[in-house]
Amino acid sequence: MNREGRPTQPQIATPHMPKTFTGNRALQVAEALIFETGRNDFTGVDLDPPAPFTPRLGGLERKSAIGLPGLSEPEAMRHYVRLSQKNYAIDLGPYPLGSCTMKHNPRLNEKMARLPGFADIHPLQPVSTVQGALELMEELAGWLLKLTNMQAVALSPKAGAHGEMCGMMAIKAAIAARGEAATRNVVLAPDSAHGTNPATASALGFSVRAVPAGPDGLVHPNAVAAALGPDVAAIMLTNPNTCGLFERDIVEIARLVHEAGAYFYCDGANFNAIVGKVRPGDLGVDAMHINLHKTFSTPHGGGGPGSGPVVLSSRLAAFAPVPFLKREGERLSLVEDAEGTEAFGRMTAFHGQMGMFVRALAYILSHGADGLAKASEDAVLAANYVRVSLSDVMSAPFGDKICMHEALFDDRWLKDTGITTLDFAKAMIDEGFHPMTIYFPLVVHGAMLIEPTESESLVSLTLFIATLRDLVFSALRGETERFLGAPYYAPRKRLDETAAARKPVLRWTPPKPVEA
C-alpha cells in the first residue's frame, strides 16, 4: 500500500530495462572508486616547496610515491556526497534492527556536543581547566546510578562489548580478592545470549557453560540451578532477552546465583525497553553495561563513537576501574592511579567519549524521569503494534504473547514458498526499508527480529507494516521473482555475502588494460 493506503503493484525489474551510456540511472549515479577517478600525478592543492630541513626519520623516509589520487575540491566533494546518497540513514527512514535500538537522534544533542568546553577540550588538559566537563560526567553518572539503583559507575568503556569486558573484569577481580581465582573459572551464558557474552568470558580466560532456554523463550531457574556449582564465577543474562521477552524469573535466578557464590552480569543492550520502569539493581544484578549510543539516542554504526558505561552493585563497586571521579568540596578530580585502591586497573587511555556523555545527558535532561519512562512504554507499544499487526500472516516462535521492545518472527510461514528469510529481507530494500535483524537470535530458525523504537510515528509504523504484509502476500502467491533477485533498485545488487566475508578485498589494485 502507498502512503494514502491504496494498494500498489510491485514493480519488478526486467532484463529489458535500457542501459545508459554512463552507467548512471537518473539521480542514482554509478560512482567509481576514488582511485579510479583521481590521478596519482595530480594534486588539487598547490603547496610551496618546503624550506631546507634535516630529516629526522633515521633513514625511514618514503622512497616512492605515496600513490594517493589527486582531485580538485569539487571532485572530492561530489565523490563523498554521491557516496552518502547511497547509504541508508536514520534520517531517511526507520531502522527496524532488532537488538540494536536505532532511534532518532535529536539535533539538540548535537548542538550541545559541539559547545566550546565539550567539543574542543583535550584529555591531557589540566583538570582545573575542565571542571565543567567533569561536572557533566558527574551528573550523567548520577542519573545512570538512579536509573539502575547501583552504587558505582565506570564511564570509560567505549562500547557495549568493551563494557561487558569491564564488568566481567570487575567480577574477576572480586573473585580473585576472595581467593577463588583458581576454582571459579566458569561463566554461564544462555543459548540466546548475544555472541559477545561468551566471547568476552572466553577472552578473560573463563570457560563458558550454556544454559538452555525453555520452549517459551525464557531462562528458567531450574536450568540455572542445574548449571551452577562451586566452579561458576558468574552468569551473563540479557533482560529483556534477545527474543524480545522479559525474563520473569530474574529475581529467583539472581538469588540462586548469589547463593552459589557467583555474580550476576546483565547485558544492558536492551535497556531501552525498561528505563524508568525497572531498576536492574532491584532485580539482583551486580554489573551491567549501558549503551549510551542506543538507550540514550545517538545511533551507532556510522553515527560516531559508541559509549558503554558500566554500573556496579555494592558487591563490586570497589573494583571499578580507574579513572573515576572524586569530589572534594567544590572541586572535582580524576583518580588516575589504581595504587592503593581495589580497582582492577585501567580499561582505556583516557576518560571515555565526552561527545557521547553530552548527547546522553542532553537526552536525559530533555525527557526527565517521566519522559524516559514514557519512551520505554512507547518502545514496547510500538513493538507490540508490529507484532499484532503481522501475527495473522507471519509465525511467532513462542506463540502469541506480549513482547517487550522488539517483535520476533520465524520462517515457518515461508515453508514451501521457495523463499528464505534472506530473500524476504532483500526485497524490503527495494521497498525503501532497511531490513530487520535476520537469523538472530540463533535459537530461532530463520529469525526476523524487529525493533521499531519509540521514535517512529504511527504513520511510519503503519506504512512499514503494510509493506511487510504486501511482501508476505506476494510470497504466498508464489511471486518468487520479486524476492530471489532482490534488491533490484539498490545501487549494488545482491552480493555473495559468504564470499565477501571469507575472502574480503581490502586493497584496490588497478584493473588490467583492455586490449583493443
Side-chain angles (χ1 to χ4, degrees), residues 287-430:
M288 185 181 83
H289 77 268
I290 301 172
N291 294 15
L292 295 186
H293 53 282
K294 291 171 61 173
T295 302
F296 300 111
S297 81
T298 311
H300 51 302
S307 183
V310 175
V311 288
L312 302 168
S313 71
S314 57
R315 301 179 187 89
L316 294 175
F319 301 97
V322 295
F324 53 81
L325 289 165
K326 181 179 180 181
R327 177 172 282 281
E328 296 172 326
E330 295 297 313
R331 181 182 173 82
L332 281 165
S333 61
L334 282 162
V335 176
E336 301 274 10
D337 192 348
E339 187 98 23
T341 74
E342 292 185 273
F344 68 73
R346 175 182 287 273
M347 286 291 295
T348 186
F350 297 116
H351 320 121
Q353 304 284 18
M354 176 54 65
M356 299 304 293
F357 297 161
V358 178
R359 293 178 178 93
L361 186 60
Y363 182 85
I364 291 171
L365 295 180
S366 297
H367 283 71
D370 56 341
L372 292 173
K374 185 65 164 60
S376 297
E377 293 169 359
D378 288 350
V380 174
L381 179 63
N384 280 281
Y385 177 50
V386 171
R387 177 186 63 82
V388 171
S389 299
L390 296 173
S391 61
D392 62 325
V393 293
M394 295 174 67
S395 47
F398 304 114
D400 185 19
K401 62 172 66 176
I402 293 175
C403 64
M404 295 299 290
H405 60 305
E406 52 196 355
L408 178 61
F409 300 96
D410 59 25
D411 63 353
R412 284 177 296 161
W413 68 273
L414 282 169
K415 185 179 179 181
D416 298 327
T417 63
I419 296 167
T420 66
T421 291
L422 179 65
D423 297 327
F424 189 83
K426 295 296 187 184
M428 288 176 64
I429 297 174
D430 279 336

Side-chain angles (χ1 to χ4, degrees), residues 119-446:
D120 57 1
I121 58 175
H122 192 280
L124 295 179
Q125 279 183 232
V127 171
S128 61
T129 67
V130 291
Q131 287 294 299
L134 297 185
E135 284 185 29
L136 182 140
M137 291 168 64
E138 182 186 47
E139 183 163 0
L140 173 63
W143 269 95
L144 298 180
L145 294 176
K146 286 186 180 73
L147 290 168
T148 58
N149 192 27
M150 301 288 254
Q151 278 62 58
V153 59
L155 293 175
S156 58
K158 300 296 182 65
H162 204 211
E164 282 181 27
M165 181 72 77
C166 176
M168 292 303 295
M169 288 177 76
I171 288 173
K172 188 167 186 175
I175 289 172
R178 283 164 28 184
E180 298 180 305
T183 56
R184 291 194 181 269
N185 49 26
V186 173
V187 168
L188 306 183
D191 289 338
S192 59
H194 287 106
T196 51
N197 291 179
T200 295
S202 296
L204 290 174
F206 291 110
S207 299
V208 178
R209 184 177 298 157
V211 179
D216 54 0
L218 301 173
V219 176
H220 293 271
N222 59 348
V224 175
L228 283 169
D231 58 345
V232 174
I235 187 171
M236 299 182 78
L237 184 75
T238 306
N239 198 24
N241 67 26
T242 58
C243 298
L245 304 173
F246 189 85
E247 294 284 358
R248 62 172 182 260
D249 292 316
I250 186 171
V251 173
E252 176 63 11
I253 290 172
R255 185 188 68 80
L256 292 170
V257 168
H258 290 148
E259 283 186 356
Y263 292 93
F264 192 143
Y265 183 90
C266 182
D267 184 320
N270 296 338
F271 193 41
N272 192 57
I274 59 173
V275 175
K277 304 295 291 184
V278 178
R279 301 187 303 179
D282 297 340
L283 304 176
V285 171
D286 292 309
M288 185 181 83
H289 77 268
I290 301 172
N291 294 15
L292 295 186
H293 53 282
K294 291 171 61 173
T295 302
F296 300 111
S297 81
T298 311
H300 51 302
S307 183
V310 175
V311 288
L312 302 168
S313 71
S314 57
R315 301 179 187 89
L316 294 175
F319 301 97
V322 295
F324 53 81
L325 289 165
K326 181 179 180 181
R327 177 172 282 281
E328 296 172 326
E330 295 297 313
R331 181 182 173 82
L332 281 165
S333 61
L334 282 162
V335 176
E336 301 274 10
D337 192 348
E339 187 98 23
T341 74
E342 292 185 273
F344 68 73
R346 175 182 287 273
M347 286 291 295
T348 186
F350 297 116
H351 320 121
Q353 304 284 18
M354 176 54 65
M356 299 304 293
F357 297 161
V358 178
R359 293 178 178 93
L361 186 60
Y363 182 85
I364 291 171
L365 295 180
S366 297
H367 283 71
D370 56 341
L372 292 173
K374 185 65 164 60
S376 297
E377 293 169 359
D378 288 350
V380 174
L381 179 63
N384 280 281
Y385 177 50
V386 171
R387 177 186 63 82
V388 171
S389 299
L390 296 173
S391 61
D392 62 325
V393 293
M394 295 174 67
S395 47
F398 304 114
D400 185 19
K401 62 172 66 176
I402 293 175
C403 64
M404 295 299 290
H405 60 305
E406 52 196 355
L408 178 61
F409 300 96
D410 59 25
D411 63 353
R412 284 177 296 161
W413 68 273
L414 282 169
K415 185 179 179 181
D416 298 327
T417 63
I419 296 167
T420 66
T421 291
L422 179 65
D423 297 327
F424 189 83
K426 295 296 187 184
M428 288 176 64
I429 297 174
D430 279 336
E431 295 292 340
F433 286 105
H434 194 289
M436 71 289 277
T437 294
I438 60 173
Y439 300 121
F440 180 83
L442 299 178
V443 293
V444 173
H445 193 275

